[in-house]
Amino acid sequence: MTTHDAPKGALEVSYDPADDVEVIKGHPHGDLSRAPGDQPDLTQDGIGCHSGAELESAARMAGQSEMLDKFRADYPTGPHDQPQSMCPAFGSLRVGLRMRRVATVLSGSACCVYGLTFVSHFYGARRSVGYVPFNSETLVTGKLFEDIRESVHDLADPDRYDAVVVTNLCVPTASGVPLRLLPREINGVRIVGIDVPGFGIPTHAEAKDVLAGAMLNYARAEIAAGPVARPRGGAEDRPAVALLGEMFPADPMMIGAMLAPMGLAAGPVVPCREWRELYAALECGVVAAIHPFYTAAVREFQAAGRTVVGSAPVGHDGTAAWLAAIGDAYGVAADKVAAAQNAMLPAIRGALDAAPIEGTITLSGYEGSELLVARLLIESGADVPYVGTACAKSPWSAADADWLSARGVKVKYRASLEDDCAAMEAIRPDLAIGTTPVVQKAKARGIPALYFTNLISARPLMGPAGAGSLAEVINAAIGNRDRMSRMKAFFEGVGEGDTAGIWEGDPNLRPDFRAQHQKKIDKLARAAKAQEMI
């Protein structure tokens, strides 16, 4: 097929006319070279995701420093050395489970694998998750790696799978289990090994980037090696814009409608739903970083010579600026850009005016779209004095941060739970949008609250549909303030925290146990700080 014009030096995609083609052959993977005595001791009780400093130290002793330094550069940490949300591996697990013909294998502690498997099925996964168990012997002797290699050989059926994704969780990563030594392919099935430790990846959102970036890197190498398989839906005959970040299903279609007057099309959404879509995404001359935290994925697109555009077509101002930026990246004539803006902006303004939001709202979350939602709320009429996001500062969200700051909004990157709760308690908003503990704390104080992930981010945000999508649920929640006050008054005096519930006598609080536990926490914190100073 003929590729579209792209920035100079871009890696071009060449599709083979056949529906199925052979993938790159595997490279020599070498043998395990570390003696059992070189393994750090991670078999004692109590080692888990809460032991961040110990696990990171063990991982560096096991030769994982380069990987951890890369994680630190891609995903700089905030005030905490471990995630405050769910296990980061949940993000990469969801990406793999949503892809057709991709098998997923986890290597980690049994409790971690159970929790991840449970929550993945709770969120709608409909396929099994592979598990390679280990014990003290297999971990310290290197047998665990051999078990993993055997498992992927057993799974690598080209009639069923395009790829097998193997993920190391905290303990195997800290022990130095070398997934990089797995074969690149077995029987024509790609083998993708990644490490997603809780002590190296701050949020589950950024773990999506770990797998997306690894897959893009593999697909880019395949393109460089020769012809690749044609996407199932065929190739787009217009220059396309790849969309980076998981979105409500209607949003990519709306973006496609926005781009059409400029002669452009919406390309695949990354993370993709099928391996072949990776090739089509890499073919797109421009990439829209709708969610700004995909650092590894952006690196792969830039290595392929693609132009990356930040922000998103959200609200009136955001849509106007984003369409102009896309047009500039593709060299679209000014009149066509104006035509695209004129086709959408009046409808967006009408939707905003028809669904106003009145009230003060604090907003926080860990999905990466918090700044975009805040823009939409403000253009709908809401007062949003505080926005907290668990993701790090990024050049791809700079335009959103500037827009919000110009309107007096305090934007907090790598916001901690303490930051979000402090803002909510200080502002006492009409509505608090946040993570589960923020919502819980707000409701305990009689403040209406909504869970960001399920009730806000899982809605259309782009174009006219997005402009009117939030008002109904937001206004309904704000209208519940009187009911929340009545509920708070009704339950006044029943106790809270340790004294919540009905007691015949005073509960046995044992402050001595708490003091002893606090000493342990303080000791670990001092040891971690001393380690950083070495």
Side-chain angles (χ1 to χ4, degrees):
M1 82 171 268
T2 302
T3 55
H4 304 296
D5 292 336
K8 186 176 180 181
L11 175 64
E12 298 302 332
V13 178
S14 174
Y15 290 132
D16 188 278
D19 186 59
D20 291 301
V21 298
E22 193 173 38
V23 299
I24 301 172
K25 294 298 182 184
H27 300 290
H29 52 73
D31 298 317
L32 286 172
S33 58
R34 221 175 38 248
D38 295 332
Q39 292 274 11
D41 181 13
L42 298 173
T43 60
Q44 69 268 30
D45 291 339
I47 288 293
C49 56
H50 58 282
S51 307
E54 291 87 344
L55 287 172
E56 181 173 353
S57 176
R60 292 187 180 277
M61 290 172 58
Q64 302 280 49
S65 293
E66 182 179 353
M67 180 192 70
L68 291 176
D69 290 342
K70 184 179 179 182
F71 283 158
R72 186 62 60 91
D74 285 351
Y75 319 112
T77 56
H80 294 271
D81 62 352
Q82 59 194 41
Q84 286 192 308
S85 63
M86 64 185 72
C87 171
F90 174 61
S92 57
L93 180 62
R94 289 189 76 183
V95 168
L97 290 175
R98 288 177 174 180
M99 292 187 69
R100 301 184 188 93
R101 292 177 53 82
V102 171
T104 299
V105 178
L106 296 177
S107 173
S109 300
C111 56
C112 300
V113 173
Y114 170 78
L116 287 167
T117 304
F118 174 85
V119 75
S120 68
H121 286 87
F122 179 82
Y123 275 89
R126 296 184 178 181
R127 71 179 72 163
S128 298
V129 178
Y131 172 41
V132 182
F134 64 86
N135 56 33
S136 300
E137 180 182 355
T138 61
L139 183 66
V140 301
T141 62
K143 178 70 166 53
L144 174 57
F145 176 79
E146 301 300 332
D147 291 342
I148 293 172
R149 182 160 57 182
E150 181 181 353
S151 74
V152 296
H153 273 277
D154 292 341
L155 270 175
D157 181 357
D159 292 332
R160 299 180 61 195
Y161 300 118
D162 293 328
V164 175
V165 176
V166 186
T167 303
N168 268 346
L169 304 180
C170 288
V171 171
T173 294
S175 184
V177 176
L179 297 183
R180 64 186 179 280
L181 299 184
L182 291 172
R184 277 184 63 83
E185 65 89 17
I186 302 172
N187 299 327
V189 178
R190 305 160 185 85
I191 308 300
V192 181
I194 59 173
D195 289 82
V196 188
F199 56 86
I201 310 296
T203 68
H204 80 279
E206 286 156 316
K208 298 175 185 177
D209 178 49
V210 174
L211 181 52
M215 288 185 164
L216 284 167
N217 179 271
Y218 199 124
R220 194 163 60 83
E222 290 183 298
I223 294 167
V228 293
R230 184 181 297 272
R232 186 181 299 273
E236 178 59 55
D237 59 358
R238 294 171 293 173
V241 178
L243 307 176
L244 195 51
E246 293 180 303
M247 291 174 281
F248 188 79
D251 280 340
M253 293 186 287
M254 179 58 66
I255 290 174
M258 295 182 191
L259 296 172
M262 294 193 289
L264 305 176
V269 176
V270 179
C272 297
R273 296 302 179 96
E274 187 173 12
W275 189 273
R276 298 180 188 187
E277 292 179 0
L278 294 165
Y279 307 139
L282 286 164
E283 182 190 12
C284 297
V286 174
V287 179
I290 303 295
H291 287 185
F293 56 81
Y294 282 89
T295 306
V298 165
R299 183 165 54 243
E300 296 302 324
F301 280 115
Q302 290 178 329
R306 306 315 184 203
T307 301
V308 181
V309 174
S311 192
V314 168
H316 181 277
D317 294 356
T319 300
W322 187 83
L323 289 173
I326 294 294
D328 182 65
Y330 253 127
V332 177
D335 59 332
K336 289 188 176 181
V337 173
Q341 292 171 330
N342 292 334
M344 282 293 164
L345 296 183
I348 293 173
R349 175 56 65 195
L352 291 169
D353 293 341
I357 297 174
E358 295 183 6
T360 300
I361 301 173
T362 57
L363 187 150
S364 56
Y366 45 57
E367 300 296 336
S369 57
E370 292 77 26
L371 275 63
L372 301 178
V373 172
R375 292 190 65 155
L376 198 53
L377 291 174
I378 290 171
E379 286 205 25
S380 298
D383 176 24
V384 184
Y386 172 83
V387 176
T389 176
C391 295
K393 191 173 184 178
S394 166
W396 316 118
S397 62
D400 303 317
D402 291 344
W403 189 93
L404 292 170
S405 296
R407 286 154 182 79
V409 181
K410 169 65 175 178
V411 178
K412 179 72 174 179
Y413 292 101
R414 282 284 187 251
S416 66
L417 172 60
E418 293 81 1
D419 293 328
D420 296 337
C421 288
M424 178 270 296
E425 292 181 322
I427 295 170
R428 305 290 295 185
D430 298 304
L431 175 67
I433 299 174
T435 56
T436 302
V438 174
V439 169
Q440 180 185 25
K441 197 159 191 175
K443 288 183 175 179
R445 284 153 177 72
I447 299 173
L450 293 173
Y451 179 35
F452 182 88
T453 299
N454 285 6
L455 297 175
I456 302 299
S457 70
R459 292 176 178 272
L461 298 178
M462 318 297 171
S469 69
L470 297 180
E472 183 176 359
V473 66
I474 295 291
N475 288 331
I478 291 176
N480 282 333
R481 180 134 203 171
D482 289 341
R483 187 175 70 171
M484 295 295 299
S485 298
R486 291 196 301 272
M487 290 176 63
K488 187 174 185 299
F490 179 81
F491 288 105
E492 196 74 41
V494 300
E496 60 182 40
D498 295 320
T499 61
I502 300 174
W503 298 83
E504 293 184 359
D506 293 334
N508 186 6
L509 299 182
R510 294 308 301 261
D512 53 330
F513 285 178
R514 290 191 173 183
Q516 184 178 7
H517 183 63
Q518 186 61 47
K519 288 181 180 179
K520 292 181 180 179
I521 295 175
D522 295 341
K523 183 178 179 181
L524 291 173
R526 288 194 298 270
K529 188 173 182 179
Q531 184 67 28
E532 292 177 359
M533 297 175 65
I534 296 177

